Amino acid sequence: MKEKIRFSSKLGLIAATVGSAVGLGNIWRFPAEVQENGGAAFLLIYLACVCILGIPVMLAEFSVGRAARADAIHTFQKLTPGKPWWLIGVLGVLASFIILGFYLVVSGWTLEYLFASVSGSLFTPDEPSGSVNFGAKMQEYVQTDVRPIVFTLLMIAINAIVLWRGVKKGIEKLSNVLMPLLFLLLVIFCCVSLSLPDASKGLKYFFSPDFSKINGSVIISALGQAFFSLSLGLGVLITYASYFPGSTRLGRTAATVSLLDLMVAILMGIIIFPVVTSFGISDSESLRGGTLVFVTIPEVFTHMECTRLWSSLFFLLISVAALTSTISLGQVSVAFLQDSLHWSRRKAIVCVFLPLVPVSLACSLSQGSWNSFRILGYNLFDFLDCFATNYLLPIGALLLCVYVGWILPKNTLRDQLTNHGSICAVWAPAVSMAIKYIAPPLIFIILISNAL
Ligand code: PHE
């Protein structure tokens, strides 16, 4: 049998896994959640969610992935042959494909804004007064038909090229370059933000907790954010862990990935909140998702010197974060076709990306002229987002915890957490308890509350 590919260095595997985790979830969802839900109080709840739920579920995925050394579906067939548990993998492959469908569209927008920043067209005035209406620009860039499609296709092509080069030469090499670049850009933006006149007020808001805002739905929102941000429940981490060398310490890796992911979210807070106070942005709508990134931030850049440079660097930062996440999502399906169906990598890539083109284009058009086509009241983009992130993702994670906690022989998890007894992991029983007793009911609550 062919020897299974491994990441070639510790740094490479961390960079690739952090690359998957750090994405638009950290950049455009986290600051808004913090602002709406009591500043540092939300941060603390989020931290607790990462420790109690995020890290154990991540370790469950790492353990099965490395134990089986296979793709998300074949992993379950190998560990429990003849049982229907592989359906958990099917759910993961399906969900990651759907998420990739719309995530590529958003990634395409970030690329479009990067080009428009570099060329300067983002800042060409469109009002008689000479000012720029970024809301109108966003409509032109995002809510039309042709422009976003071009950039979505470009993003699809970049993804296909990276995956074509394979795990080591494509995913690992690219992450080794892009992740340090991402952290460097974040630090540069933190310095810029901290030099703003009202920076201290913003930081004070970010770091002082308002516990009166905390209620059940805030906790559920923090749990959901932790899941999405850590790329859990979709088979991404099972797939990546199948490339971890046998000597990788899973506990340390999970802690490092979660910490770095959290760090990016906190750095984003340190960037955004001084901007909020210094430029008097008071409504949370301005901090939400697309509006934050495509309207509020470019507006802020126009009040600074070297507008185009800052804007280009900012959209480079977001494009990098988005790209490494889309690549990890794509690898789930590619690995499935390669491992389970024994297809060549090239054939697998063609068969994943060809159907992705119409799916992504339909998602893109649903922001433009197809917006009136509704499924249960949502346009296609929002429907797929809601269906995959609110249902498929938690269902996958719930089943995985039940599987690892209750079905898999006990020693599989223990062997993986202790590298077959060669390292001491005093925390391993606590992780096992969390997977067995804490994660399933909590994820179930998320699911129910999403359904209501
Ligand atoms: N974690 C990514 C983010 O924060 C999104 C993602 C989810 C990527 C699931 C891969 C798998 O944006």
Side-chain angles (χ1 to χ4, degrees):
M1 208 181 125
K2 240 171 70 185
E3 176 62 18
K4 177 92 188 174
I5 308 154
R6 308 274 151 92
F7 284 120
S8 45
S9 71
K10 223 196 262 175
L11 204 75
L13 79 87
I14 298 269
T17 318
V18 173
S20 170
V22 170
L24 300 168
N26 308 59
I27 292 173
W28 81 18
R29 226 172 107 173
F30 188 79
E33 296 273 353
V34 169
Q35 205 217 13
E36 283 168 21
N37 300 322
F42 181 83
L43 193 63
L44 287 176
I45 304 270
Y46 180 73
L47 195 68
C49 294
V50 169
C51 294
I52 296 170
L53 199 68
I55 294 181
V57 177
M58 185 180 280
L59 282 169
E61 290 207 28
F62 281 173
S63 298
V64 291
R66 194 175 62 173
R69 294 217 171 280
D71 65 274
I73 298 179
H74 199 40
T75 285
F76 296 95
Q77 291 169 330
K78 259 178 146 175
L79 296 178
T80 36
K83 303 269 164 56
W85 292 102
W86 53 272
L87 288 168
I88 303 176
V90 173
L91 210 68
V93 173
L94 189 73
S96 58
F97 186 85
I98 293 176
I99 292 187
L100 186 57
F102 64 81
Y103 208 107
L104 278 167
V105 177
V106 190
S107 312
W109 298 340
T110 64
L111 214 55
E112 190 180 353
Y113 271 75
L114 171 62
F115 275 75
S117 304
V118 174
S119 71
S121 60
L122 180 60
F123 298 100
T124 41
D126 43 13
E127 310 249 305
S129 63
S131 63
V132 190
N133 180 342
F134 288 102
K137 285 264 191 235
M138 184 167 147
Q139 269 185 355
E140 184 191 333
Y141 288 4
V142 168
Q143 288 155 350
T144 47
D145 288 348
V146 182
R147 278 186 68 123
I149 283 185
V150 173
F151 286 93
T152 302
L153 288 175
L154 187 58
M155 205 63 185
I156 291 179
I158 298 174
N159 269 271
I161 292 169
V162 175
L163 292 177
W164 195 277
R165 293 182 58 82
V167 172
K168 277 191 193 182
K169 287 196 196 140
I171 300 177
E172 185 176 351
K173 252 192 170 167
L174 186 85
S175 310
N176 274 340
V177 176
L178 292 188
M179 285 299 104
L181 174 70
L182 181 124
F183 276 88
L184 177 73
L185 290 171
L186 278 169
V187 171
I188 293 176
F189 276 105
C190 276
C191 296
V192 173
S193 214
L194 291 175
S195 66
L196 290 171
D198 276 340
S200 57
K201 262 199 216 154
L203 289 185
K204 208 167 145 211
Y205 177 82
F206 184 37
F207 288 114
S208 47
D210 174 3
F211 286 105
S212 67
K213 293 254 176 77
I214 301 299
N215 53 35
S217 74
V218 170
I219 297 174
I220 287 173
S221 164
L223 281 169
Q225 169 72 10
F227 262 84
F228 188 75
S229 190
L230 294 174
S231 306
L232 301 174
L234 297 175
V236 168
L237 301 181
I238 296 181
T239 308
Y240 272 17
S242 72
Y243 312 125
F244 286 4
S247 58
T248 302
R249 291 171 173 236
L250 297 189
R252 249 188 222 180
T253 306
T256 311
V257 170
S258 310
L259 199 77
L260 288 173
D261 184 66
L262 182 74
M263 211 166 105
V264 173
I266 292 180
L267 289 176
M268 261 335 271
I270 295 179
I271 294 170
I272 298 297
F273 288 100
V275 170
V276 168
T277 43
S278 300
F279 290 91
I281 302 159
S282 52
D283 62 318
S284 57
E285 238 353 90
S286 309
L287 290 185
R288 255 232 172 260
T291 315
L292 167 74
V293 172
F294 300 131
V295 178
T296 314
I297 299 269
E299 173 80 52
V300 167
F301 288 139
T302 59
H303 298 288
M304 291 166 50
E305 299 210 357
C306 310
T307 303
R308 269 167 69 180
L309 172 74
W310 291 125
S311 182
S312 307
L313 290 178
F314 181 73
F315 286 107
L316 176 65
L317 166 87
I318 305 188
S319 304
V320 164
L323 176 64
T324 46
S325 293
T326 50
I327 285 170
S328 72
L329 286 161
Q331 180 62 13
V332 177
S333 306
V334 171
F336 157 63
L337 296 178
Q338 276 186 272
D339 288 358
S340 289
L341 305 187
H342 305 291
W343 288 8
S344 72
R345 184 165 68 227
R346 291 168 189 203
K347 187 171 160 196
I349 288 167
V350 171
C351 289
V352 169
F353 283 90
L354 268 189
L356 258 180
V357 171
V359 174
S360 293
L361 295 196
C363 283
S364 180
L365 286 170
S366 76
Q367 299 287 327
S369 59
W370 289 11
N371 194 24
S372 49
F373 172 69
R374 299 270 152 171
I375 310 163
L376 301 175
Y378 295 106
N379 67 31
L380 180 69
F381 183 111
D382 295 336
F383 173 75
L384 292 182
D385 182 359
C386 167
F387 178 59
T389 46
N390 290 354
Y391 299 102
L392 293 183
L393 193 152
I395 291 175
L398 173 63
L399 292 175
L400 179 88
C401 290
V402 171
Y403 177 77
V404 175
W406 299 91
I407 307 294
L408 209 58
K410 233 182 171 173
N411 53 359
T412 311
L413 181 67
R414 197 186 327 116
D415 284 350
Q416 289 304 320
L417 298 183
T418 62
N419 289 358
H420 296 275
S422 66
I423 54 170
C424 166
V426 280
W427 41 266
V431 167
S432 165
M433 296 274 282
I435 294 171
K436 226 169 161 171
Y437 300 109
I438 302 178
L442 281 181
I443 303 172
F444 189 69
I445 294 173
I446 300 184
L447 248 173
I448 298 295
S449 81
N450 286 344
L452 295 178

